[in-house]
Amino acid sequence: MSVSVACCCFSFLNAPARLLQSSSSPLCFVAASTLTPRASSSSKLNPEKKKKKYTLRVRDEHSSNDGPQTMAFKSPFGSSQQKKDKKESQPTTDLRLYLLASFLHSPVVVVVVSQVYCTHTAPDYSLPWQKQRHAFMIGDGKLLTNAHCVEHDTQVKVKRRGDDRKYVAKVLVRGVDCDIALLSVESEDFWKGAEPLRLGHLPRLQDSVTVVGYPLGGDTISVTKGVVSRIEVTSYAHGSSDLLGIQIDAAINPGNSGGPAFNDQGECIGVAFQVYRSEETENIGYVIPTTVVSHFLTDYERNAKYTGYPCLGVLLQKLENPALRECLKVPTNEGVLVRRVEPTSDASKVLKEGDVIVSFDDLRVGCEGTVPFRSSERIAFRYLISQKFAGDIVELGIIRAGEPKKVQVVLRPRVHLVPYHIDGGQPSYIIIAGLVFTPLSEPLIEEECEDTIGLKLLTKARYSVARFRGEQIVILSQASHNDVLANEVNIGYEDMNNQQVLKFNGTHIRNIHHLAHLIDMCKDKYLVFEFEDNYVAVLEREASNSASLCILKDYGIPSERSADLREPYVDPVHDNEALDQGFGDSPVSNLEIGFDGLVWA
C-alpha cells in the first residue's frame, strides 16, 4: 500500500446541479497529486513491475488524409513505482488530482490549496484473483475530480492547505467516459473560509486561458498561460469516448491533470485532463469544458446515478464524393452513409445499412459529417449525440433507396464487447486445472502489453462489436507470466496463453459466467476446450477436480473463481439467431480499421 500527496484545492459555493449550465454558477476545485493507479503485484507469480499507459486512436472526421490519424494521448500524470508495504510516502509529483466541487442543493465552498489523500486498491488483470495496493490524496465535501484518480479507491481523505487535519471523503459516483467523479464530505470544518469560483461559458478561439496546477519541477503552485487553439469533439483517453474538448497551448505537464483552467474574467472554463505528446509537437493540452461537467452533474441529479453518455450505434461514412451521393439518390450536398448498425443498439430496429442520415432533430448534417456549431463554426455530428442523455428519443431524417423518411431512435450507452473499464473493479476469472480463463478487457491488454496479446485479439478489441448484451471474449490468460499454472494434469498446455476459447464440450461460449455454468453442469468424462485456430485442450474431469485444490494451494490463490461467478447464471441471449451468425467470430474489414471518413456515432 502506498499514499501520494496532493498539493492544491479550489472550490465554490451554493451550486445546484441545475444551475451549472449558467455562467453565474459557482464552481469549485480541489487539487491533489497521486501515484499512478497501477502497482506491481506482491505475488511471487508476478515479480515484474509495470507502468500504466494511456494510448488511444483518433479518427479525424475533418482530415483529408488517405489513412487514419493515430494519436497517442497520455494523461499528464506520468507513471511511477510504489514500494510495497509502505504506509505513506513523501509528496510526489507523479499524479496531481485536482478536485472540481459543487453539487445538488447543498452549499459547496472554496478550499484554497489543500492536500488530498486516497488509499487506492487497483486490481491485477493478469492475476485476477489478486489486488494491488496504492494510495493517493484527494479532497472532501461535494467535489468533482478525474475519474481515473478514484477508480479503485478504498479510502479517500483530504487536507486543506495550512491544516494538519485530514477529512474523510466519499466517492458518490464516477463518470468514466467523461473522466469525472463526484465526491462528498460531511465535515463543515473543511469548508470554512473558502471563497467561490464561477463557472464560465464555453470560450472562443484565441481567448486567453490560464492553467493552475502542481506540475513537475517544484513543490509550489504553478501557473501557465496560453490561448484556446481549437474546440472540437475530442477523444478522451481515459473514458474511450468522443466528447467536446478544448485544445489549448498553455503548457500542461505531469501534475496538471485535473487542474482548473480560467479565462481573463477569473471564471473556470474547464479542467485540464490530457496532453498530446510526440516528437513533432509541443504544448498541445486538452481541457474538459464546463458543458461536459454540467452534463455529468445533470445526469446524476436526474437518475440518482450516472447512466453515461449515449450513442446512436452506427458506423458512418462521409458523402463528399458527388458520384457516391448520386448513386445513393441523395439530391443535396449533405448526409452521411450508414455503413454498419450495432446489433445491441436501438438503431438496429429502424436503421439499415445503406441508409443516409440527412438530419438530426431537424438539424441538417453536412456531407463531411459535420453540423452547425455556434454562429459560424461547424463540428462533428457526434457532438449532437453527446448533448443527449441515455433514454432520450431523437428524430432522424434519412434517405432510403432514394425515398426520404423520418424515424425515431432511443439513445443508449454503447455496449462494449471488450470493456474499457471493469464494473466493481475486480475482473472475473475461473481456474480449471491450472488454466486461467478471464474476459478480454482493455485493462488486461494494458497489463499484458499489446505484443503479448496478439494481433487477432487486438483487432477484435479495437474494432469488433457485441452481437448481444452480455457477450464477452473469453480468453485463456497468461497466468504468472509463465502461461498456465503448471501441474501434471495440464502437461502439454504450458505454452498456451492469450487464446480465445470459443466452445466448451461443443457449446459456444457467450461469456465467462456462461463458461463457468457449463463447467459446473458438466457430467462428461472430459472437459474439452476449443480455441481459435483449431487449438484444443482436453482435461479429464475428475483428475482436474482433484488437482485444482493443490494448484490453488501451491500458487497461493484464495479461490478457483471470482465472487461474481458464484451467482446463478442468467442467459443473456433470448434470440438463438445471434448464435448462428458467426458466433465467436468478429470479421473486420479494412474500411473499419481506422479508415479516414468512417467514425462511430
Side-chain angles (χ1 to χ4, degrees), residues 284-297:
I284 297 181
Y286 293 88
V287 172
I288 301 173
T290 52
T291 52
V292 173
V293 174
S294 298
H295 188 284
F296 168 81
L297 295 175

Side-chain angles (χ1 to χ4, degrees), residues 193 246 303 332 528 593-594:
I246 303 173
N303 303 291
T332 56
V528 182
I593 304 181

Side-chain angles (χ1 to χ4, degrees), residues 9-154:
C9 164
F10 308 84
S11 64
F12 45 48
L13 178 63
N14 293 331
R18 62 175 182 271
L19 298 179
L20 285 176
Q21 296 179 355
S22 168
S23 63
S24 63
S25 300
L27 186 64
C28 134
F29 286 87
V30 174
S33 71
T34 179
L35 301 175
T36 17
R38 184 81 64 183
S40 62
S41 171
S42 59
S43 169
K44 63 182 179 181
L45 303 180
N46 187 17
E48 298 181 2
K49 297 182 178 180
K50 299 184 179 181
K51 295 182 179 180
K52 184 173 184 178
K53 59 184 178 182
Y54 293 82
T55 306
L56 58 90
R57 193 171 282 100
V58 174
R59 297 183 293 278
D60 186 358
E61 291 186 323
H62 308 290
S63 172
S64 59
N65 296 334
D66 294 331
Q69 292 192 352
T70 301
M71 305 171 68
F73 283 91
K74 300 179 180 178
S75 295
F77 42 74
S79 179
S80 65
Q81 309 279 348
Q82 289 96 19
K83 295 182 179 180
K84 294 182 291 185
D85 300 323
K86 189 170 182 180
K87 294 278 180 87
E88 188 166 303
S89 65
Q90 293 299 316
T92 168
T93 54
D94 285 341
L95 176 61
R96 307 291 178 183
L97 168 63
Y98 303 90
L99 300 180
L100 169 64
S102 155
F103 196 65
L104 297 175
H105 307 287
S106 58
V108 185
V109 290
V110 177
V111 179
V112 181
V113 188
S114 71
Q115 294 180 324
V116 186
Y117 298 82
C118 176
T119 302
H120 184 92
T121 304
D124 186 331
Y125 293 88
S126 295
L127 306 177
W129 55 85
Q130 206 172 67
K131 283 190 175 183
Q132 298 174 319
R133 299 195 172 276
H134 297 257
F136 57 88
M137 298 178 57
I138 61 174
D140 194 2
K142 291 285 192 313
L143 308 172
L144 285 172
T145 181
N146 291 120
H148 64 253
C149 298
V150 292
E151 188 173 8
H152 304 294
D153 70 284
T154 54

Side-chain angles (χ1 to χ4, degrees), residues 462-483:
R462 299 291 186 263
Y463 309 112
S464 297
V465 296
R467 290 169 171 77
F468 53 87
R469 291 183 181 274
E471 183 182 9
Q472 294 175 327
I473 295 177
V474 182
I475 67 170
L476 175 63
S477 181
Q478 178 178 310
S480 75
H481 301 279
N482 290 300
D483 306 317

Side-chain angles (χ1 to χ4, degrees), residues 168-224:
V168 175
K170 179 182 178 182
V171 179
L172 296 178
V173 63
R174 299 176 185 85
V176 174
D177 50 4
C178 59
D179 201 5
I180 301 175
L182 180 67
L183 313 178
S184 66
V185 177
E186 295 183 358
S187 175
E188 297 180 358
D189 293 339
F190 181 77
W191 303 105
K192 290 180 179 178
E195 298 180 3
L197 284 177
R198 306 193 74 82
L199 183 63
H201 288 295
L202 191 68
R204 296 281 178 176
L205 296 181
Q206 295 186 330
D207 279 0
S208 296
V209 60
T210 301
V211 178
V212 178
Y214 287 85
L216 294 173
D219 296 326
T220 58
I221 197 167
S222 170
V223 178
T224 56

Side-chain angles (χ1 to χ4, degrees), residues 462-599:
R462 299 291 186 263
Y463 309 112
S464 297
V465 296
R467 290 169 171 77
F468 53 87
R469 291 183 181 274
E471 183 182 9
Q472 294 175 327
I473 295 177
V474 182
I475 67 170
L476 175 63
S477 181
Q478 178 178 310
S480 75
H481 301 279
N482 290 300
D483 306 317
V484 304
L485 303 174
N487 184 275
E488 63 180 12
V489 75
N490 55 49
I491 288 175
Y493 307 138
E494 297 89 348
D495 296 330
M496 294 182 65
N497 65 81
N498 294 330
Q499 296 277 341
Q500 181 182 1
V501 56
L502 302 177
K503 296 181 181 180
F504 173 77
N505 283 9
T507 301
H508 284 288
I509 296 171
R510 302 167 188 177
N511 52 46
I512 185 69
H513 208 158
H514 184 220
L515 174 60
H517 172 72
L518 293 175
I519 293 172
D520 292 341
M521 300 300 292
C522 179
K523 304 298 181 183
D524 298 341
K525 181 178 180 179
Y526 297 107
L527 309 178
V528 182
F529 300 90
E530 298 178 48
F531 299 87
E532 276 196 322
D533 300 324
N534 296 323
Y535 281 103
V536 178
V538 179
L539 300 169
E540 203 279 321
R541 181 171 58 86
E542 292 185 359
S544 298
N545 293 338
S546 300
S548 291
L549 291 178
C550 295
I551 293 173
L552 296 179
K553 182 178 179 182
D554 290 344
Y555 287 89
I557 302 172
S559 176
E560 50 89 25
R561 69 182 65 189
S562 54
D564 59 311
L565 300 188
R566 301 190 190 102
E567 299 295 327
Y569 172 68
V570 178
D571 193 345
V573 179
H574 302 290
D575 183 1
N576 291 329
E577 290 184 3
L579 301 180
D580 297 331
Q581 300 174 357
F583 185 88
D585 188 18
S586 300
V588 180
S589 71
N590 291 332
L591 289 179
E592 292 166 5
I593 304 181
F595 185 82
D596 181 52
L598 296 177
V599 58

